[in-house]
Amino acid sequence: MKKSFGAKTLVFPTPVWVVGSYDQQGKPNVMTVAWGGICCSQPPCVAVSLRKATYTYGNIVKWKAFTVNVPSEIHCREADYIGTASGRNTDKFAATGLTPIRSDLVDAPYVREFPLVLECRLLRTVEIGLHTQFIGEIVDVKADESVLSTDRDDSALGAGGLPDAAKVKPILYSPEMGTYHGIGRNLGRAYSIGKTIGKKE
Amino acid sequence: MKKSFGAKTLVFPTPVWVVGSYDQQGKPNVMTVAWGGICCSQPPCVAVSLRKATYTYGNIVKWKAFTVNVPSEIHCREADYIGTASGRNTDKFAATGLTPIRSDLVDAPYVREFPLVLECRLLRTVEIGLHTQFIGEIVDVKADESVLSTDRDDSALGAGGLPDAAKVKPILYSPEMGTYHGIGRNLGRAYSIGKTIGKKE
């Protein structure tokens, strides 16, 4: 028998992603979101939801671009701060000491110190309610060499392998409880560990 | 200097959620998704993206409802299997031994054995590309008593406290690498641990 909690945005995991954008004057800004996720494989798209009241909302509408920056757990304090201050009256890059890098591909800055970034072109705007969902087409994914897998099994892509979640160490947000967690142990390979279930039938 | 990986759905974390639905004959089905996230606070909404080719796609179109079930890491094998088999030719509840429970609120079943479930009414359908995004209004969240926080600080909601991510033990999926991870250590409280950054300015 499950206990009922009512109509709430209460689910796990939700990500801690830092959205990069330029303001109306072209000044770089960042904000933290937990409402988002991949929403399409082809074209590759990621969705982030923002309230209209946010500074970033107007930025994305103007420039039709944003970045999704994945902070590592060592930057959890910065990510938390970026989620509470507003770019309207604060230079969050200056306050945190993080560095904006100009994207060659889209009109939005990304964060040098965060190990994994997605550069996105605004594809669709979906008005839902309090939040507006921005669907961004991912035009490139960039990662630091230091977070690439060196596991032989994972090097199909070639030199250096793929970005490894265990090295990126993304942050998870727990709605309602309001806590952050790191990622934990490897539970196994997808499309593989469940195979025996199918076979026992 | 970051390395470029091209236009890919490569970001962390993505969730491992099991979507419950009834088929055209009212038989319960489940499928696993990693493309999804919360997309609005008011009304509370969650988005999941599916290919049209999936069995669940037609189910949601017919019943205008679905559930999002959060498996705990002990059910990682089942979640993996549910993501590979199709309800078109398999009874995935029977194969896994999981139990469908009829929702009183929406026309979709949820999974008894998974500790956290969201019952959703289809609010919007967004055609993006290969994937269609279903935006569901969350009409109720249900959780097992065993995953509720007993921390005094978290009991503001009353008896039993809130669902605790550390007890739910949700699963994370790593795109491209194709691995699953559990959640890790508590990194701190949101809207709190970053406060000192604002203050040093």
Side-chain angles (χ1 to χ4, degrees):
Chain A
M1 187 63 180
K2 287 177 160 55
K3 180 172 174 175
S4 178
F5 287 84
K8 284 195 158 52
T9 50
L10 172 49
V11 72
F12 310 126
T14 73
V16 174
W17 289 341
V18 169
V19 173
S21 64
Y22 289 119
D23 77 1
Q24 309 296 311
Q25 287 73 46
K27 187 174 133 185
N29 184 48
V30 272
M31 81 171 283
T32 305
V33 302
W35 293 175
I38 295 289
C39 60
C40 187
S41 294
Q42 203 50 251
C45 292
V46 64
V48 295
S49 288
L50 309 179
R51 289 174 297 111
K52 279 204 171 69
T54 61
Y55 198 54
T56 295
Y57 177 93
N59 298 354
I60 295 176
V61 168
K62 174 177 170 69
W63 293 98
K64 302 194 187 324
F66 60 92
T67 61
V68 171
N69 302 265
V70 181
S72 196
E73 57 179 63
I74 58 162
H75 284 116
C76 196
R77 281 181 61 240
E78 285 78 3
D80 186 58
Y81 166 77
I82 290 167
T84 55
S86 172
R88 206 166 268 123
N89 47 34
T90 321
D91 182 336
K92 293 193 254 186
F93 278 104
T96 55
L98 297 170
T99 314
I101 304 289
R102 176 167 292 276
S103 165
D104 291 333
L105 301 171
V106 299
D107 288 324
Y110 62 85
V111 180
R112 172 183 283 161
E113 290 80 2
F114 292 175
L116 183 67
V117 303
L118 281 60
E119 294 159 278
C120 304
R121 185 167 46 211
L122 181 63
L123 186 74
R124 190 88 69 86
T125 302
V126 184
E127 300 292 348
I128 304 175
L130 180 62
H131 286 76
T132 299
Q133 183 188 52
F134 289 118
I135 297 177
E137 182 177 348
I138 302 164
V139 297
D140 196 25
V141 176
K142 290 180 167 67
D144 290 339
E145 296 275 354
S146 60
V147 298
L148 306 186
S149 172
T150 51
D151 187 331
R152 188 189 301 262
D153 290 345
D154 298 319
S155 55
L157 202 101
L162 289 162
D164 182 350
K167 293 183 176 182
V168 170
K169 296 185 189 297
I171 306 165
L172 319 175
Y173 173 67
S174 296
E176 299 292 324
M177 287 279 282
T179 48
Y180 298 118
H181 284 83
I183 80 161
R185 68 191 178 92
N186 189 319
L187 301 174
R189 296 198 70 81
Y191 318 113
S192 173
I193 59 169
K195 273 185 184 165
T196 49
I197 295 179
K199 279 177 185 156
K200 85 177 174 194
E201 292 307 294
Chain B
M1 186 67 182
K2 287 177 160 52
K3 180 171 173 175
S4 177
F5 287 85
K8 284 194 157 50
T9 50
L10 172 48
V11 73
F12 310 126
T14 74
V16 173
W17 289 341
V18 169
V19 173
S21 63
Y22 289 119
D23 77 1
Q24 310 296 312
Q25 287 74 45
K27 187 175 133 185
N29 185 47
V30 272
M31 83 170 283
T32 305
V33 302
W35 293 174
I38 295 288
C39 60
C40 188
S41 293
Q42 203 50 253
C45 291
V46 64
V48 294
S49 288
L50 310 178
R51 288 174 298 113
K52 279 204 170 70
T54 60
Y55 198 53
T56 296
Y57 177 93
N59 298 353
I60 295 176
V61 168
K62 175 177 169 70
W63 294 99
K64 303 196 188 322
F66 60 91
T67 61
V68 171
N69 302 266
V70 181
S72 197
E73 57 179 62
I74 58 161
H75 284 116
C76 196
R77 281 180 62 240
E78 285 78 3
D80 186 57
Y81 166 76
I82 291 166
T84 55
S86 172
R88 206 166 267 124
N89 47 35
T90 320
D91 181 335
K92 293 193 255 186
F93 278 105
T96 54
L98 296 170
T99 315
I101 304 289
R102 176 167 292 276
S103 165
D104 291 333
L105 301 171
V106 299
D107 287 323
Y110 61 84
V111 180
R112 173 184 283 162
E113 290 80 1
F114 292 175
L116 182 67
V117 304
L118 282 61
E119 295 159 279
C120 304
R121 184 166 47 211
L122 181 63
L123 186 74
R124 190 87 70 84
T125 302
V126 183
E127 301 292 348
I128 304 175
L130 180 62
H131 285 76
T132 299
Q133 181 183 238
F134 290 118
I135 297 177
E137 182 177 347
I138 302 163
V139 298
D140 196 25
V141 176
K142 291 180 166 68
D144 291 339
E145 296 275 356
S146 60
V147 299
L148 305 186
S149 173
T150 51
D151 187 332
R152 186 188 302 260
D153 289 346
D154 298 319
S155 54
L157 202 101
L162 289 162
D164 182 349
K167 293 183 176 180
V168 170
K169 295 186 190 297
I171 305 165
L172 319 175
Y173 172 67
S174 296
E176 299 292 322
M177 286 281 280
T179 47
Y180 298 118
H181 283 83
I183 80 160
R185 68 190 179 92
N186 189 320
L187 300 175
R189 295 198 71 81
Y191 319 112
S192 172
I193 59 169
K195 273 185 186 165
T196 49
I197 294 179
K199 279 177 186 156
K200 85 178 173 193
E201 290 309 292

